[in-house]
Amino acid sequence: AIKDAVATARTMLGKPYNTSYVLNDDSYYCSDFIERAFRAHHVFALQPMNFRNPQTGQIAQHWVDLYRGMGMDVPQDQPGTNPNDMSAAPVLQRIGVLE
């Protein structure tokens, strides 16, 4: 999977950063880039994006303002990726701990 992922990643180089985090083929955000590189091998699963504060259940004003400035609603529950979910993928094996 790694060899294929590197080859796929090379085809995606040069695309702009995706500041909306809404999946598209013209730009990528950090974890989106990695998921797509490994997509053919189903290493990482897309998850519903969550912008809600865990204590209040409300979408933080920061996100509302950010997306309003882009002319869109907060993409709550739309498919996406995040590093925390990806790090828990069952196919990954921990090889060490940084100190």
Side-chain angles (χ1 to χ4, degrees):
I2 293 172
K3 183 178 178 181
D4 289 347
V6 169
T8 300
R10 285 189 172 132
T11 69
M12 299 185 305
L13 292 176
K15 299 276 184 155
Y17 190 82
N18 179 345
T19 57
S20 75
Y21 308 115
V22 176
L23 299 179
N24 70 65
D25 291 330
D26 297 323
S27 61
Y28 307 104
Y29 57 95
C30 52
S31 58
D32 173 34
F33 185 92
I34 299 302
E35 184 277 325
R36 286 174 193 250
F38 284 93
R39 187 174 284 178
H41 292 276
H42 309 285
V43 173
F44 304 106
L46 296 177
Q47 303 290 328
M49 291 192 289
N50 183 13
F51 295 87
R52 295 188 185 281
N53 179 306
Q55 285 77 37
T56 67
Q58 300 298 311
I59 296 174
Q61 192 62 45
H62 162 78
W63 294 115
V64 173
D65 293 343
L66 177 73
Y67 284 100
R68 184 178 294 136
M70 290 188 263
M72 56 191 293
D73 293 331
V74 175
Q76 178 67 28
D77 296 322
Q78 289 189 24
T81 62
N82 72 67
N84 286 336
D85 286 342
M86 292 172 74
S87 69
V91 298
L92 297 181
Q93 177 183 355
R94 182 182 295 220
I95 58 171
V97 177
L98 295 175
E99 295 184 24

